[in-house]
Amino acid sequence: MKAAKFAVCCILTFLIISATFRALPCGNFSAYAANSGYARADAKDIYFCEKKDLNSALFIIPYTYCVEILSTDGEWYYVKYAEDNALYRALYGYCRTENLTPVSEPPENIYLNRPVTVTFKTESLPGSLPVLNELNVTVAFYGSYYSGASAYSYVLYDGAFGYIRGANDDYPLNELPDEPPPPPEEPQPKSANTTVIVALVLAGLAGAALLILYLTGKKRYFHPDK
């Protein structure tokens, strides 16, 4: 009989603890998952960098266009820009997360596709040697780069990346979506640590109460000869 009562108390304690932990709010584990998808450049000074260092900046992501987020590392996104298509080649590097807005659906034109014409000029040569005064070539424009008061364009030509003088910021913009209304304010949930501590205390009190009930419910036998 004693063993049966003890078993009932153990089962009740286990059920109370289980119910308490089931009532705990689940953590938002998705917030720690690696981000993926696309992010739109909502500022005109978001640099694409070779490394997680602004000193390795190559060009500015064209305003209203996107990068593909491959992973997140602190204040940096590891991203891809452009596709292997025609004159362009995909580039992989880093962008600061600031002013890059993740989007559920990317715009119709994810990356800026804007070939530009570059003119090479040759100085006159002595004598009667024939000279090709001007040579026009088409290059893939990726973005502008500013160094002090000087402006450059980062381009790809014949498999090689480099800079030409002058920025090329006169390009069509993607249409920005309307700003959604701000969500209603909700009460902040209690911290997970506080909730766990409260649950453990309640479970401990429940177990202690059941144990007291078990002990006080035991029959006492007295022997007159003792």
Side-chain angles (χ1 to χ4, degrees):
M1 190 66 181
K2 294 180 181 179
K5 287 184 177 180
F6 182 75
V8 170
C9 289
C10 290
I11 292 173
L12 290 175
T13 303
F14 174 77
L15 292 176
I16 292 174
I17 294 175
S18 300
T20 303
F21 277 99
R22 281 198 300 269
L24 292 177
C26 296
N28 187 14
F29 295 104
S30 61
Y32 300 96
N35 288 313
S36 60
Y38 294 92
R40 184 183 63 240
D42 284 347
K44 298 181 179 180
D45 58 352
I46 302 173
Y47 275 92
F48 180 95
C49 305
E50 285 186 293
K51 306 173 183 178
K52 291 182 291 183
D53 184 353
L54 289 177
N55 291 325
S56 67
L58 296 177
F59 61 92
I60 296 174
I61 301 297
Y63 180 56
T64 73
Y65 288 85
C66 296
V67 295
E68 182 179 356
I69 301 173
L70 302 179
S71 64
T72 304
D73 188 355
E75 296 179 346
W76 293 87
Y77 286 137
Y78 179 59
V79 302
K80 183 184 84 167
Y81 182 77
E83 299 280 0
D84 295 328
N85 184 20
L87 295 174
Y88 284 84
R89 185 197 305 172
L91 286 180
Y92 296 86
Y94 295 88
C95 290
R96 293 288 297 269
T97 58
E98 186 179 9
N99 293 325
L100 271 175
T101 304
V103 292
S104 55
E105 294 185 6
E108 181 179 357
N109 300 309
I110 300 175
Y111 312 113
L112 177 63
N113 189 331
R114 190 173 180 80
V116 296
T117 301
V118 177
T119 302
F120 292 97
K121 294 183 178 181
T122 305
E123 295 181 358
S124 299
L125 298 177
S128 59
L129 295 176
V131 176
L132 185 62
N133 291 325
E134 293 185 356
L135 176 63
N136 295 324
V137 297
T138 302
V139 300
F141 170 76
Y142 279 74
S144 300
Y145 179 87
Y146 293 91
S147 177
S150 301
Y152 304 90
S153 293
Y154 192 67
V155 300
L156 170 64
Y157 173 67
D158 196 22
F161 289 95
Y163 294 94
I164 59 175
R165 290 188 178 277
N168 188 13
D169 294 333
D170 185 20
Y171 49 78
L173 303 179
N174 282 317
E175 184 177 354
L176 296 176
D178 296 332
E179 290 288 339
E185 293 185 1
E186 296 181 357
Q188 294 295 326
K190 296 181 179 179
S191 66
N193 291 337
T194 302
T195 308
V196 169
I197 293 172
V198 171
L200 291 175
V201 171
L202 291 177
L205 291 175
L210 289 173
L211 185 59
I212 292 172
L213 288 176
Y214 167 72
L215 294 175
T216 55
K218 293 173 61 177
K219 294 182 178 179
R220 297 182 180 179
Y221 297 91
F222 299 93
H223 300 278
D225 56 343
K226 292 185 179 180

